[in-house]
Amino acid sequence: MSLEFYAGIDNFKVDAKGNISITEKLAGSALKNKLDELQKLKADGVVRVTIESAVTRYTEKIDAETLEPVEYYERDIKGVWTTVENEQTSLDVGEEQTIEREEEITADVVDKFLLTEKYELKSDFDPKKVLIRIAEGYTFDEIASELKAESASELIKKLSEARIEYAGMAKAWYEVKEDDDEE
């Protein structure tokens, strides 16, 4: 049995014996209909905890002269999200000059994109398959075994790498979605 939810770390402290107490804070709806499962896990006395950041940080390349992104993302006529290279607008025909800008997006937005949208896989790892299994209640250990991954930690690492890979695309999707929702 496992539970997955988004929470903030409200506090943590270390007592004199070296025991660490972690307090998480989450909206009441985050565990909606899962309080019985939480009670069963508490009764077990011991649980395995994996804490990972829900913020996905990625690098966006920017044209140093125009300050425009080097690439952008859009849906093609088949509804598939693709990466499009910005045409060089600089008059300098020499080596392209780019700067890198750090961006952030929450993992839940990237996950919603990966679950609901069409996109070309950038590797042989399919994040959608993993996210579907997580939503169905499978543990990372079970999914790792099913996908013949080395370990649950390796699976989590691959999922984090995929989130970074698709973060820019997810951000573009989210902005379009927000615009559509406002209309």
Side-chain angles (χ1 to χ4, degrees):
M1 172 186 314
S2 68
L3 290 175
E4 182 172 335
F5 52 88
Y6 288 94
I9 296 177
D10 191 43
N11 190 11
F12 70 93
K13 51 188 162 184
V14 181
D15 67 17
K17 295 180 182 178
N19 297 315
I20 300 172
S21 175
I22 302 171
T23 305
E24 294 181 348
K25 190 175 195 175
L26 58 149
S29 62
L31 288 177
K32 186 178 180 180
N33 302 325
K34 295 182 181 181
L35 292 177
D36 290 339
E37 291 177 47
L38 183 61
Q39 187 63 36
K40 288 177 188 173
L41 288 169
K42 183 179 182 287
D44 287 345
V46 177
V47 295
R48 184 185 68 203
V49 177
T50 301
I51 297 177
E52 65 176 316
S53 178
V55 175
T56 299
R57 291 175 180 83
Y58 65 101
T59 303
E60 181 177 50
K61 289 185 179 178
I62 307 294
D63 182 297
E65 188 174 320
T66 66
L67 300 179
E68 292 292 321
V70 173
E71 57 188 23
Y72 61 96
Y73 309 94
E74 66 182 13
R75 248 190 216 117
D76 67 15
I77 57 173
K78 295 179 182 176
V80 177
W81 281 90
T82 59
T83 303
V84 179
E85 296 291 324
N86 239 344
E87 293 181 24
Q88 186 175 356
T89 55
S90 170
L91 297 176
D92 180 11
V93 265
E95 188 176 312
E96 184 178 337
Q97 299 292 320
T98 61
I99 55 177
E100 293 184 345
R101 177 171 61 194
E102 295 297 314
E103 294 287 334
E104 292 182 353
I105 187 170
T106 57
D108 62 323
V109 172
V110 179
D111 290 354
K112 286 176 191 169
F113 168 79
L114 293 170
L115 279 167
T116 61
E117 295 298 309
K118 296 178 192 172
Y119 48 89
E120 290 184 17
L121 288 179
K122 297 181 179 190
S123 71
D124 55 349
F125 177 75
D126 186 352
K128 185 175 200 168
K129 184 182 288 188
V130 173
L131 292 170
I132 288 170
R133 299 309 253 172
I134 292 168
E136 292 172 342
Y138 290 91
T139 66
F140 279 106
D141 283 331
E142 292 168 329
I143 300 167
S145 176
E146 177 184 320
L147 298 177
K148 297 177 181 34
E150 291 179 30
S151 65
S153 296
E154 181 65 24
L155 181 65
I156 291 168
K157 180 181 174 189
K158 284 184 174 186
L159 184 57
S160 293
E161 289 169 353
R163 285 177 175 141
I164 292 167
E165 186 73 29
Y166 292 98
M169 203 173 279
K171 185 175 183 179
W173 163 77
Y174 187 72
E175 289 170 355
V176 168
K177 184 178 174 309
E178 289 291 297
D179 288 345
D180 290 349
D181 289 348
E182 287 179 8
E183 292 176 1

